[in-house]
Amino acid sequence: MNDSRTLAIEYARQNKDRFLKELMEWIAIPSISTSIEHKDDIQRAAEWAARQLKNLGMENVQVMPTGGHPVVYGEWLGAGKSAPTILIYGHYDVQPADPLELWDNPPFEPVQRGEYLYGRGTSDMKGQVMASLKAVESIIRSGTLPVNIKWLIEGEEEVGSEHLGDFIQSHKELLACDFSLNPDSGMTSPTQPTITYALRGLMYAEIRVYGPKRDLHSGLFGGTIHNPAQALAELIAGMHDENGRITLPGFYDKVRPLSPEERADLARLPINEQTFLQQTGAPALWGEPEYLPIERVGARPTLEVNGLLSGFTGEGSKTVLPAWAMAKISCRLVPDQTPEETFRQLVAYLEANAPSTIRWEIRNLHNASPAITDRDNMGIRALTQAMQTVWGTPPLFKREGGSIGAVVFIQKGLGAESVLTGFGLPDDNVHSPNEKLHLPTWEKGIEALIHFFYNLKP
Ligand code: BES
Ligand code: MN
């Protein structure tokens, strides 16, 4: 069969080494969105993506300013009014790479070892954007795109997409689409393609606790002054009860319960306690005992300590009573919780529980809304069929615990649903040292996307 679909797949197979080389070029740009030092790299990574779009023959390609990092836009509307328009979402920013000493290769000097490409952003998500770009390239170079496409590639996903909501609101016409393809989620395993239908939201805060005006000799003053590190630890310890439930006032009020049908669906997924133990290496699992692990990461909210800092943490010992302590705390949220209300609940908890022996401050660093998307529409059907073709098995439908701010902005601003998927794996070390991309799965992902676009042909 020598139809254009087959030609596109052949093109992808013949060009996979070059696709990988280009991905490595993009990975080499350290576009870390959280740090102001990388502003130029952010710009370079955006321009690099814009160049890819132009080389593909996309039109109206622009690196568009926002209140923060720029958005890369491009479109091809040549399939005409009778064909659907798909907004392909991606982000070119990455998380910080530290701790650097735990990497086996410098994070922005990608290397291939065995079946993997190692580097920051390989899986989350330059590799996923690249899979989309190269699926489209394979179709264009061997035939004609059967659908209209628009690209929305942002640079602030890893810091809460702060300016994307406004950007979408003020470019509704430009971004209008039938639905969005969002490959920023992932697969369950190399043999289990996955479509995600819910994401958790996020509320991220920083708490600082102050005590004495300077670090003190712990012998001269210990016993008279409430140690800020201890006070902060006491506050944090009180944020969960002995059953792992969060104690912030009203925290669970808006949590939408799971229906018995959905619980049964989730229970049937091939993911269990062993899966989590094996993926994490932790000695035992923890969390609300009345929920399955897959429910706890997908459909239940959490409160996590992301980092703690206080006092003397260098080598050896120093007898000091620190002047201050700091914690980064975030909550993963589920419908219908909101980050704003959750932040107020955290403030209310501190107001009620902070002792008079310390002063405290809190800042809300960034937020993302929880999302639930359609489980059946033309995009879902086209991708289901495509995955069946490539992997020989239909996709699993699941909730993911991560957050992507764009999904709700696109729902609210454009009235469009997202088809959430991706070709990263649970052991890709995203946000961790030695982030990697499983190349055979990535190559299948490119083929699946080629089928996906052809399956959408009117
Ligand atoms: N790609 C992830 C989100 C994700 C991970 C979805 C795994 C599904 C499965 C995304 O890039 C991410 O990490 N987002 C941040 C957003 C936050 C900083 C607002 C997250 O979830 O921590
Ligand atoms: Mn991420």
Side-chain angles (χ1 to χ4, degrees):
M1 204 170 57
N2 227 8
D3 64 347
S4 42
R5 186 190 288 252
T6 317
L7 292 175
I9 300 279
E10 271 169 23
Y11 179 96
R13 289 184 185 168
Q14 276 158 12
N15 287 276
K16 66 180 169 55
D17 294 343
R18 177 176 54 83
F19 293 172
L20 180 61
K21 265 227 266 343
E22 291 178 31
L23 173 59
M24 288 166 78
E25 251 178 67
W26 202 20
I27 300 291
I29 307 175
S31 44
I32 302 170
S33 48
T34 192
S35 124
I36 190 77
E37 285 154 48
H38 288 281
K39 213 169 177 319
D40 292 350
D41 298 317
I42 282 279
Q43 189 69 28
R44 275 203 298 141
E47 279 160 14
W48 194 95
R51 221 162 29 247
Q52 281 275 330
L53 292 179
K54 280 193 192 134
N55 291 343
L56 268 181
M58 294 295 123
E59 286 156 6
N60 195 14
V61 175
Q62 305 173 51
V63 176
M64 301 175 79
T66 71
H69 301 321
V71 161
V72 183
Y73 178 82
E75 64 187 23
W76 185 82
L77 306 176
K81 288 239 154 50
S82 61
T85 300
I86 295 129
L87 180 69
I88 305 172
Y89 168 86
H91 63 85
Y92 62 81
D93 65 322
V94 299
Q95 288 266 336
D98 55 273
L100 290 178
E101 65 278 12
L102 295 185
W103 284 78
D104 295 331
N105 61 285
F108 299 104
E109 293 171 26
V111 293
Q112 187 182 347
R113 279 197 297 274
E115 290 189 328
Y116 292 96
L117 180 70
Y118 288 83
R120 175 57 90 230
T122 49
S123 176
D124 186 10
M125 73 164 300
K126 285 172 176 164
Q128 315 303 328
V129 177
M130 215 46 184
S132 317
L133 283 163
K134 295 307 168 189
V136 169
E137 176 181 320
S138 302
I139 294 174
I140 290 179
R141 298 280 183 258
S142 56
T144 313
L145 259 180
V147 293
N148 302 306
I149 55 176
K150 297 179 174 182
W151 300 84
L152 171 67
I153 308 175
E154 67 153 319
E156 298 192 315
E157 197 280 335
E158 299 291 4
V159 286
S161 302
E162 191 184 339
H163 301 92
L164 191 68
D166 285 346
F167 180 86
I168 289 175
Q169 282 297 335
S170 48
H171 296 89
K172 284 189 183 182
E173 199 99 343
L174 184 73
L175 301 171
C177 60
D178 290 288
F179 68 88
S180 168
L181 169 70
N182 186 330
D184 194 22
S185 191
M187 309 229 316
T188 304
S189 80
T191 55
Q192 291 164 314
T194 306
I195 294 179
T196 298
Y197 65 88
L199 293 166
R200 290 195 290 189
L202 188 76
M203 185 287 294
Y204 203 111
E206 180 178 313
I207 299 173
R208 284 177 180 264
V209 167
Y210 301 95
K213 63 187 176 195
R214 60 172 188 280
D215 284 3
L216 301 173
H217 189 297
S218 65
L220 297 186
F221 295 100
T224 61
I225 302 298
H226 196 175
N227 184 317
Q230 180 191 335
L232 180 57
E234 286 160 355
L235 285 168
I236 290 172
M239 291 176 190
H240 289 93
D241 70 15
E242 60 284 3
N243 299 315
R245 301 256 308 174
I246 294 148
T247 59
L248 309 188
F251 188 78
Y252 292 97
D253 289 358
K254 303 270 170 71
V255 172
R256 211 189 285 176
L258 283 167
S259 70
E261 295 75 30
E262 192 180 346
R263 291 199 79 176
D265 285 347
L266 291 171
R268 269 193 296 274
L269 290 173
I271 300 167
N272 56 30
E273 303 215 349
Q274 279 313 315
T275 322
F276 283 87
L277 285 170
Q278 191 221 324
Q279 280 171 9
T280 61
L285 296 188
W286 177 90
E288 294 176 292
E290 65 274 35
Y291 291 94
L292 296 172
I294 183 72
E295 295 175 322
R296 306 209 294 262
V297 296
R300 297 293 297 168
T302 58
L303 182 149
E304 297 291 341
V305 181
N306 302 106
L308 276 174
L309 187 66
S310 185
F312 178 70
T313 56
E315 222 181 295
S317 58
K318 178 185 179 194
T319 44
V320 67
L321 192 166
W324 58 273
M326 184 270 269
K328 307 258 187 189
I329 295 207
S330 64
C331 294
R332 293 285 170 176
L333 308 176
V334 300
D336 297 301
Q337 293 177 296
T338 67
E340 293 75 19
E341 189 170 16
T342 307
F343 181 69
R344 287 195 295 273
Q345 291 165 349
L346 183 54
V347 172
Y349 169 87
L350 292 174
E351 280 167 348
N353 295 287
S356 56
T357 47
I358 50 127
R359 284 185 303 111
W360 56 274
E361 277 170 10
I362 185 166
R363 280 195 307 148
N364 185 192
L365 299 185
H366 57 241
N367 293 326
S369 298
I372 291 199
T373 61
D374 264 5
R375 294 175 73 166
D376 187 23
N377 55 43
M378 70 169 149
I380 300 281
R381 288 192 290 273
L383 185 61
T384 300
Q385 184 62 49
M387 288 174 154
Q388 171 77 51
T389 306
V390 171
W391 276 274
T393 170
L396 303 176
F397 280 79
K398 84 178 205 211
R399 289 174 174 250
E400 278 286 0
S403 310
I404 309 172
V407 175
V408 169
F409 294 143
I410 290 171
Q411 271 175 340
K412 289 203 174 135
L414 306 176
E417 287 292 307
S418 290
V419 174
L420 280 157
T421 190
F423 313 106
L425 297 169
D427 65 353
D428 278 351
N429 301 328
V430 294
H431 297 201
S432 305
N434 298 318
E435 179 176 347
K436 65 189 198 297
L437 179 69
H438 187 234
L439 296 170
T441 302
W442 182 64
E443 287 155 15
K444 280 192 171 146
I446 296 174
E447 295 188 15
L449 290 177
I450 293 171
H451 285 289
F452 166 74
F453 289 117
Y454 272 111
N455 291 347
L456 285 164
K457 191 178 178 144

